[in-house]
Structure formats: C-alpha cells, structure tokens
Amino acid sequence: MNPSNQTPATVNETVNGAGTAPPVEPRPDTAPKPRERDASPVRRVLPGAQDLALIGALVVLCAGFTIASPHFFTEANLINVLRSVAIIGTISAIMTLVLISGALDLSVGSIMGITGVLAAVMMSSFGLGPLTACAAALALGVVCGLLNAFCVVRLRINPIIVTIGTLALFRGIAFILTDGREIAVRDPFFDAIGFDRWLLLPVPVWVMLAVFTMAWWIAKYSVWGRTVYSVGSNPRASRLAGLPVDRARVIILAASGLAASVAGLLMLAQGGIAVPSAGTGYELQVLTAVLLGGTSLAGGEGRVARTLVGVLIIGVINNGMTLLAVPSYYQTVAGGVLLLVAVAIDQARRGAGYR
Amino acid sequence: MAHPALHLKGIDKRFGGTHAVRGVHLTLRSGRVHALLGENGAGKSTLVKIMSGLIDPDDGTIEVGGRPMRFRGPADAQREGIRTVHQELELAPALTVTENVLMGQLPRRFGTVDFAAATRRTLGVLSELGAELDPDAIVGSLPLAEQQLVEIARGLAARPKVLFLDEPTAALTPGEADKLLERLRGLAAQGVAILYISHHLEEVLAVADDVTVLRDGAVALAAEVSETDRHGIVRAMLGTDPVDSQVRPAATPGGEETVFEVHDLHSRRSLDGVSFRVAAGEIVGFFGLAGSGHEAIADCLYGSGEYAAERATFSGNPLPASPIEARKRGIGYVPADRKRDGLALGMSVRDNILLANWGPLARAGIRRQGIETEQAARLARRHAVKAGSLDVPVSSLSGGNQQKVVLARQFTGESPKALLLSEPTRGVDIGAKAEIHRLLAEYADAGGTCLVTSSDAEEVAALCDRVYVLSRGRILTQLQAGALTASNLTAAAL
Ligand SMILES: Nc1ncnc2c1ncn2[C@@H]1O[C@H](COP(=O)(O)OP(=O)(O)OP(=O)(O)O)[C@@H](O)[C@H]1O
Ligand SMILES: [Mg+2]
C-alpha cells in the first residue's frame, strides 16, 4: 500500500510538504493502515498525556544534570541555556506553523547566513547605520521566503525539494557576497542586542519569547491560524471550501524567512562577526525541536507551546553535555539520536510506521 | 452442520466514551449473503474493521472455520481468505487501476511483473462487474463511482473465502449496483460467505439470505430475510415505527430569476456540449451512469474544473473562476468524495463544520470561540450529527455522520444562493436522509437553488423538480413532474 495512505488528509496533494514518493512496488502485507489501532481511549481521555510526557522528559533531564554537575542548576547557567537556544527557538516557533501548514523550510540556516552577511556588508562597505542594515537584512529574509513560496505555489514544487535547492542557493550567495571572508562588526547597537539584559534575561531570549507568544496566539486564537491547520490537514478540501490556500502558503514561508533573518541578526550580534557559513545545519536542530514537540510532518497537527519545550530539551542536553565535558563529536551523535527519537515518536503517535 | 465461515461471539468495542459495538454475535456461512444494517453510527463499519483485523475488539472472540483467531493486523485476516471493501476507499491514488485491483498479487514472470497478464486479469474482473474502465488510468484522477468500482474489483480479484462489502453501492447507479448484486449472488453460489452493508433496503432484500440489524452497537434483529420484511427491518433499525416522509408534495416550478445558464458546455474528457438553465427556487437533478459526465458539471459551475462554453453564467455574470470566488458569490458545494475533497480529517468536528467560515464569526480576525461552539452545535443538531463531542476529530465519526458534517457546513454563514450537491446523502441512513431532503426542500422553498448530481435514482426522483439525464457527456433527455420516477430514470440512462 502506498505509504502516503497513512496520512489520509494529504494523500492527493503532492505539493504538500508531506508528499511521499510513490512506492516502488505495492506490498501485500500493508493493506489499509489502521489509524484506529493506536487511537487508544487513554489518549482521548487524557489530552494532556503528551504534554506531561514532554515536560516530564525536561524535568528528568534537568534533575539528572543537576545531580551530575554542581554547575548546572545555577542562575548563570540556566540563563546560559536560554541564551543558547534563543536563535533556534526563534526559528522553531514559526517552523511549527510551517509544519502545521503541511510545508517544510530547510533553507532557514542559509537564510541566517545570507542575512547576517548582508547586514555586515551594508555597514562595513557602505557605511550604513545599524538600523538600516537590520531593515535590509529582514527584508532580504522575507524575499528569500517569498522565493521559496513562489516555487511552491506557482511552480508547484514540493517544499522539501524547493528548500533543499534554496538552502544551497542562499548559502552560495552568502559566500559570494563576502568572497568567503568574515566581516567583523563593531557597533554599540549590535553589542546591546547581543549582550544586554532586560529584567534578568538577555535580549535574544526576549526576542525568542516574543516570537513564540505571537506564533502561539496565531495558532490558537486567530482565524488565520485555523486556515493554516486546515490547509495542512487537507489542502484540497480547504481549497474547495473556499480557503485561500496559496495565500496561506506564501505568508507562512515569508514568515519563516523573516524569522530566520531575525535569528541571523541575533547570531551576528552575539558573535560580533558575520560569517558566510553562519547557521549551517541549524535547520536540523530546528526540525528536531519542532518534532520533539509532537508536531506532525504530515501537516494539520501541532502545538507551538510544545515546541518551546522541545527547544528547551535540546538546550539542556547540549548544555549538560558541555558541563560534563562530553567531547563535541558525541554531542553531534546525541543530536542525531534526538532527531530519530523525535521522528519515531511522531510515527508511533500516529500509529502507522513504515512496516 | 459444518462450521460457519466466520463466527463472532460477544464482540465488544469502546472508543473512549462511545460504546460502538456491544456484545455482538454474528454468523457468516459459506454460500450465503448476510446483510448488516443499521442507522449511521450503529457500529457496522466498526464491526467490519474488527473482522478484518484493523481494530482489536475489547472483548469477544472471532472464529474462522471453527478455529478461534486473533488478528494482529489486516494481513492476518487476509491470510484466512478474508477481504474487505471499505466504506472509505483505501486506494493508492498515484497508481493505475490495474496496480490497485491486483495490489499485492500482481502476476509475475521471471521475477518481474507480467503487465500483460495483469491487464488481462483486471479487465476480466472489471467486466464481471460490467465496468468499462481504462486499466492504465491513474486511480486518483477517476471520479468517485469509478474509484468505488476499482475498490470492489480489488476485493473480488483476490478470490476471497469471506468478503465484506461496506456500502459498496453508495456511489453507484442502480444499473451498476444490480450488476454487482448479480455478481455477489454468483460468488455465493460458488461458496463464498458475504457480508453486505447498505442503506438501500431494496438491494438488501433482493440479495441477502440472512439479515442482522444493529442499533446503538447491539444486535436488534437477527433473522433470515424470508422471515422478515421491510417494515420489520426498519423498525428494528429505528427502534420505533417509521414515519412516512413526503419530500416535495408536487414539483415546484422555478421562479423567474435565472440562476445558472449554460450553453454548449465542454470539459476535457467528460462533457461534450451540455446546455441547461436553472431558475431560483428549483431543485434540479443531473443523473447518469458512472462516466456519463454528470459528475463534472458541479466542478465547472463551482470554478474548480476547467471547461469551455459558449455562454455560462451565474446570476447573469460569468461563472466564478475559483472556489473562493464561488463562495463569495454565494455558491455552496458538497463534493462527492468527502474524504478527499470535503473534510480536514484530523481536525475537530467543530472546525470541520465551520471550515472556511471562521472569518464571518470572528471579530477583526480574532476567533470568538463561544460563538463558534454555539453555531457548530446548532448545525450539528439540525443535521442530526451523531458525535461524542464537537471536539473529537471528524475522522472518528461514522461515514454517514461525516457526510452530515459536510452538509451542515453549507449553512454556517448566511444562506447560500445556490447549492451544488454531489451525492449529498452518500452513506446517510434512511431516517437522516429524509430529514436532509426536507431541509433541502425547505431551502428551495425559501428561494434557494439546488443542483443535485446523484447516482441514487430514488433520491433524485424524490428530491428534484426535474432531472437532466446524461450519457457520454451529453444530455439525453429531461424528466419532470409525472414522469420523474426512479425506474424511468434508470431506463432513460441506459
Ligand atoms: N476511531 C474512532 N474513535 C472514536 N469513535 C469512533 C471511532 N470509530 C468509530 N467511532 C464511533 O463508533 C460509532 C460507530 O461507528 P461506525 O463507523 O461503526 O458506524 P456505522 O454503523 O458504520 O455508520 P454509517 O452508516 O454512518 O457508516 C460511532 O458513534 C462513531 O462515532
Ligand atoms: Mg460505516
């Protein structure tokens, strides 16, 4: 049976992010997949079970590291954890909406790179002020997102493929812009963003929290949020019901580009230096966080608040391993394992793996 | 006596708070057709899913040929020769008709697929059903009725010992249904045990030997068909005596105002020069066999299909260019294939009733959930949607109740000017169907316009003021008033 049958809502929509390739050969033993088999009553009675599991995992991790290292549970370190996840968190909040809408954006890491570089070039080569540079960078992020959207909506290419392409494209341009060099940025405005604190927390953490709040509010309370869920759940039915499916996709991918450019600027501010390779691989960390939060790759399902917990789990694991002096190679391994765990949870939850 | 082909003892199943199946006993014997009846949500499909290994029962045993079995998946049931034609089609839309019909059993030669033999076998099975389908067509591109035939053909191609059919004729015309019933009788004569679910009582009485009626998950009647009659069955289904429903007392002539006017409508592969006019307040039907093109008309009028026409207007202006425009101009649309075109399956019943109508209920783009719930609850009640709550995913509703959700949605905002309805009551039980017909008649009496494309001759005859009969993309004839009966329709369509 065609594996895409496991996600009935998107079966006929190849433009959809979850579109799976047709199987090479029909297999006899995988007749209609039973969603029902796993829809256990427990899950219906206790809608909070998944939240509890997530928060439980976070608490257990924190407890473990607290026992293992005296430095973990200190104010300074906990703020460190938050600071370290601010960048991926900012992107993850919007990426949750992207996945809910049934799309995927793998180009966010490259957009971080290209926008950071643009801001730096505008200041160092053209002598523009930091605010103008930031505005240009944010605009570039939106343009990148719109380019992705154009390919998805007009050229009808699967978003995964589109953003694999633009991942390389944007990164390449970032290198061309600087000729491969790094550009130092010495500017009080950027220093303030990177290192100041408001009410205890670093500015980037506030930015992340603001973006999360916005995404959460949109998903839950806005009409547009309903449209996003519906488009992800069944684009065909949504279009026939009169919803602006294409417009929703354009807005969501543009927003994703914007969030990535915000993240790129945060990174520039924290590092004080624009590197064309900045943000490489971040798309996978972001995806890990979103999937850990239980958002489905198939679209139509997901909670922004859970993604925040997913982000924190990643931050705590990375931080804890650094405190325990785990070599960075092993940290990379842990990242991979985490991604697999996240996807396995997604599959198990929907009760239909690739058997 | 020989062991029954399949024997259920005390099967019980709960979904959260819903007790879907309660202590059901059921015996299927080789060579006999067994009808399973009941209202929407009575538990028929759940029982079939249990018997085909898709769901675990909470309690009870399944015996196959006298041996107790525990199915851990559909593969286990299939190994016992059990095949199922599901209510919600389970086809691979990207594959061809042949690949779907012979899924899992494509003939091989020298380790590769023998496509010539596969095509031959597929054609064989299809012709037994009287279906003329291109074996190389991509299934996802076929209209619903043809997809339904593919699903049925797949069940037959496997040469099952036990065959379940869950509302296989819901999208078929009487002629096609008759062919299927004939074929089922033939299979039974060869010793196959058949379980047949349908809301068309006539079919059931014609084909079945035994009948079991479920009401609220429990067996309300189990008898041989010869021992009972239509009245007894309906009473067992409802639990009370049925009330007669007369839909439109007399055909109502349309008003002056022209709503749809179409001249020489062509669409690729399906319509070949169709012209008609529909006035405000009319209920007009389009009837034809699968492939006659009637399915395409609603798509053209709604702006979701491509067409060419000499003139095609809605309220004096050109037809809408997109569904969004159609909705804005007051056209409602109920697609034939609710699963593919109508529902966001993972979302709640509430969201599906309101789908695309969140805007008008909101203030400045901000949802007002109290008002949403109120509206959704009102519509669910009016359309007799049976659901555990408005918050359960719509995929957990029974087929007929899912259909009612799509219908209810049309009345969320202000009442539409015109409704395009394809198979509006597909899978809906007789009681709810009469209620829906009443609602539509009320809507038309208030000046609304309905275009109904249906393969159900009874429905079209009961509901419509006049009916265009189509064949091969052209209008053959028009039936109205006195001549508008199910048998005339069927005869005219041939
Ligand atoms: N996966 C599920 N989760 C929760 N409830 C379910 C699920 N599947 C079925 N139900 C409930 O079980 C009851 C029986 O449903 P079922 O699909 O068996 O009805 P049915 O007799 O086939 O009706 P129809 O004639 O409309 O097809 C319904 O109330 C339905 O809402
Ligand atoms: Mg059913």
Side-chain angles (χ1 to χ4, degrees):
Chain A
M1 168 76 48
N2 185 342
S4 68
N5 265 16
Q6 291 151 14
T7 55
T10 55
V11 164
N12 291 293
E13 185 72 21
T14 43
V15 180
N16 193 284
T20 10
V24 182
E25 188 194 346
R27 302 219 317 260
D29 57 346
T30 51
K33 269 299 179 290
R35 259 187 98 93
E36 293 87 347
R37 187 166 271 278
D38 241 55
S40 82
V42 178
R43 197 166 298 124
R44 292 207 188 292
V45 179
L46 295 173
Q50 205 188 337
D51 301 299
L52 287 181
L54 260 179
I55 293 172
L58 183 60
V59 169
V60 167
L61 278 171
C62 288
F65 285 128
T66 307
I67 294 166
S69 161
H71 306 294
F72 180 79
F73 208 79
T74 59
E75 183 190 315
N77 187 55
L78 291 182
I79 289 177
N80 244 337
V81 171
L82 287 177
R83 186 205 295 280
S84 72
V85 296
I87 290 172
I88 65 162
T90 301
I91 305 177
S92 302
I94 303 298
M95 188 67 83
T96 310
L97 299 182
V98 174
L99 258 72
I100 291 173
S101 82
L104 192 62
D105 186 352
L106 294 175
S107 68
V108 285
S110 297
I111 295 179
M112 282 175 67
I114 196 175
T115 51
V117 160
L118 180 79
V121 167
M122 296 202 87
M123 289 196 295
S124 68
S125 305
F126 297 94
L128 294 171
L131 286 178
T132 326
C134 282
L138 296 178
L140 178 62
V142 172
V143 168
C144 290
L146 288 176
L147 178 68
N148 284 336
F150 174 80
C151 297
V152 170
V153 168
R154 277 289 138 75
L155 307 183
R156 304 258 152 222
I157 309 174
N158 183 308
I160 299 182
I161 298 169
V162 168
T163 55
I164 286 177
T166 53
L167 177 149
L169 174 70
F170 299 152
R171 181 68 68 201
I173 295 176
F175 276 100
I176 292 171
L177 274 178
T178 63
D179 209 9
R181 278 191 298 269
E182 303 174 348
I183 302 171
V185 173
R186 293 258 135 263
D187 181 90
F189 174 75
F190 275 98
D191 283 348
I193 291 183
F195 301 103
D196 274 10
R197 290 187 181 194
W198 298 340
L199 302 174
L200 207 67
L201 295 179
V203 176
V205 174
W206 283 113
V207 172
M208 170 183 84
L209 292 178
V211 176
F212 259 107
T213 309
M214 219 173 58
W216 168 80
W217 184 86
I218 288 173
K220 210 169 156 74
Y221 294 108
S222 75
V223 166
W224 196 70
R226 289 295 92 188
T227 304
V228 170
Y229 276 93
S230 172
V231 166
S233 181
N234 188 346
R236 206 179 150 116
S238 302
R239 183 173 286 127
L240 286 171
L243 288 173
V245 174
D246 286 345
R247 196 194 314 158
R249 287 184 168 142
V250 170
I251 294 175
I252 204 97
L253 285 172
S256 177
L258 180 62
S261 60
V262 170
L265 290 174
L266 290 179
M267 191 167 207
L268 178 61
Q270 285 190 343
I273 189 164
V275 193
S277 65
T280 303
Y282 272 47
E283 61 280 346
L284 295 183
Q285 291 197 43
V286 166
L287 210 57
T288 306
V290 177
L291 293 174
L292 263 181
T295 297
S296 161
L297 267 173
E301 270 178 73
R303 300 275 179 83
V304 174
R306 289 185 188 149
T307 298
L308 179 57
V309 183
V311 166
L312 292 177
I313 289 179
I314 291 182
V316 165
I317 289 182
N318 284 341
N319 175 275
M321 287 198 302
T322 308
L323 288 182
L324 299 180
V326 177
S328 72
Y329 299 145
Y330 291 90
Q331 296 194 19
T332 309
V333 169
V337 170
L338 209 55
L339 180 63
L340 290 177
V341 168
V343 179
I345 292 173
D346 178 42
Q347 286 296 321
R349 218 168 37 80
R350 287 186 296 134
Y354 285 75
R355 280 188 230 159
Chain B
M1 198 199 262
H3 286 298
L6 195 96
H7 190 50
L8 299 185
K9 285 185 190 162
I11 296 287
D12 218 82
K13 179 73 191 177
R14 283 172 191 272
F15 295 105
T18 313
H19 204 163
V21 175
R22 307 171 195 242
V24 167
H25 292 261
L26 186 79
T27 311
L28 301 186
R29 294 191 181 281
S30 298
R32 289 176 80 86
V33 179
H34 194 123
L36 183 61
L37 306 176
E39 292 189 278
N40 292 135
K44 305 179 295 293
S45 297
T46 305
L47 200 59
V48 164
K49 285 179 192 161
I50 289 172
M51 293 189 287
S52 20
L54 279 169
I55 313 183
D56 277 331
D58 297 336
D59 205 356
T61 51
I62 306 176
E63 287 178 9
V64 180
R67 288 167 298 128
M69 295 289 300
R70 204 176 157 266
F71 298 144
R72 265 155 315 170
D76 285 359
Q78 290 180 7
R79 220 169 286 129
E80 298 298 319
I82 295 173
R83 294 286 154 157
T84 313
V85 175
H86 287 284
Q87 179 176 21
E88 305 300 335
L89 305 183
E90 298 284 359
L91 298 168
L95 301 186
T96 64
V97 170
T98 300
E99 286 165 324
N100 268 286
V101 169
L102 299 181
M103 186 167 287
Q105 40 168 351
L106 283 168
R108 278 153 208 263
R109 205 172 48 178
F110 312 129
T112 58
V113 174
D114 182 350
F115 278 104
T119 305
R120 248 178 288 124
R121 255 189 78 193
T122 305
L123 283 174
V125 178
L126 287 172
S127 74
E128 285 171 355
L129 289 168
E132 288 174 22
L133 294 183
D134 173 5
D136 294 326
I138 298 295
V139 159
S141 69
L142 299 177
L144 182 71
E146 298 182 7
Q147 293 197 17
Q148 176 77 69
L149 287 167
V150 172
E151 174 101 14
I152 295 171
R154 175 160 69 190
L156 299 184
R159 304 193 204 294
K161 280 191 263 179
V162 181
L163 179 63
F164 307 137
L165 300 109
D166 194 350
E167 301 192 28
T169 55
L172 301 186
T173 53
E176 289 155 343
D178 284 345
K179 288 242 175 54
L180 173 64
L181 297 182
E182 207 174 288
R183 183 78 195 101
L184 293 182
R185 288 268 28 133
L187 283 177
Q190 291 164 24
V192 180
I194 295 173
L195 182 82
Y196 188 83
I197 298 178
S198 175
H199 289 294
H200 296 280
L201 280 185
E202 283 66 28
E203 269 174 32
V204 167
L205 294 173
V207 74
D209 304 298
D210 305 300
V211 54
T212 296
V213 175
L214 292 182
R215 187 169 69 241
D216 292 332
V219 175
L221 173 77
E224 293 202 8
V225 167
S226 56
E227 295 167 354
T228 178
D229 60 0
R230 191 191 153 92
H231 187 78
I233 291 174
V234 172
R235 201 168 54 190
M237 280 170 65
L238 303 179
T240 57
D241 275 317
V243 273
D244 258 352
S245 63
Q246 174 64 316
V247 182
R248 297 270 267 182
T252 324
E256 287 298 296
E257 188 197 342
T258 299
V259 178
F260 286 108
E261 187 161 21
V262 169
H263 269 281
D264 203 22
L265 180 68
H266 292 261
S267 92
R268 197 158 25 110
R269 284 189 21 217
S270 43
L271 294 174
D272 184 21
V274 169
S275 305
F276 56 86
R277 171 183 175 272
V278 180
E282 272 192 306
I283 303 183
V284 173
F286 292 86
F287 180 79
L289 301 178
S292 68
H294 65 290
E295 305 99 336
I297 291 177
D299 286 339
C300 296
L301 300 183
Y302 192 60
S304 58
E306 287 179 15
Y307 64 89
E310 197 188 304
R311 194 166 84 247
T313 60
F314 168 64
S315 291
N317 296 309
L319 290 179
S322 70
I324 295 181
E325 190 192 333
R327 297 277 315 178
K328 280 209 190 94
R329 289 169 62 186
I331 305 180
Y333 175 73
V334 174
D337 189 343
R338 57 177 172 258
K339 180 174 161 186
R340 190 184 65 177
D341 300 335
L343 294 167
L345 278 176
M347 296 180 82
S348 66
V349 174
R350 176 212 325 259
D351 281 339
N352 271 282
I353 289 181
L354 300 180
L355 198 77
N357 287 298
W358 295 295
L361 298 181
R363 195 190 292 131
I366 303 170
R367 298 167 64 200
R368 290 185 290 178
Q369 302 197 25
I371 293 182
E372 286 185 3
T373 306
E374 209 173 279
Q375 269 272 4
R378 185 178 62 78
L379 288 161
R381 240 188 342 268
R382 199 162 89 119
H383 289 82
V385 176
K386 185 181 159 193
S389 94
L390 289 177
D391 294 317
V392 300
V394 78
S395 59
S396 75
L397 263 54
S398 79
N401 283 303
Q402 292 182 13
Q403 183 70 28
K404 294 180 208 163
V405 167
V406 182
L407 271 163
R409 182 189 305 155
Q410 311 307 321
F411 299 96
T412 320
E414 52 188 283
S415 185
K417 228 176 124 94
L419 280 178
L420 306 172
L421 308 152
S422 298
E423 310 288 346
T425 59
R426 180 165 78 96
V428 173
D429 66 46
I430 43 176
K433 193 165 167 170
E435 182 58 22
I436 287 168
H437 287 175
R438 205 184 52 71
L439 283 171
L440 291 177
E442 214 175 271
Y443 166 75
D445 288 340
T449 306
C450 288
L451 264 73
V452 181
T453 46
S454 174
S455 52
D456 181 346
E458 297 279 351
E459 160 157 77
V460 175
L463 183 62
C464 297
D465 300 320
R466 56 196 176 88
V467 176
Y468 293 104
V469 180
L470 280 85
S471 173
R472 294 182 190 278
R474 291 168 172 278
I475 291 181
L476 283 184
T477 173
Q478 188 188 156
L479 295 180
Q480 43 196 352
L484 187 49
T485 64
S487 50
N488 281 354
L489 278 171
T490 312
L494 286 177

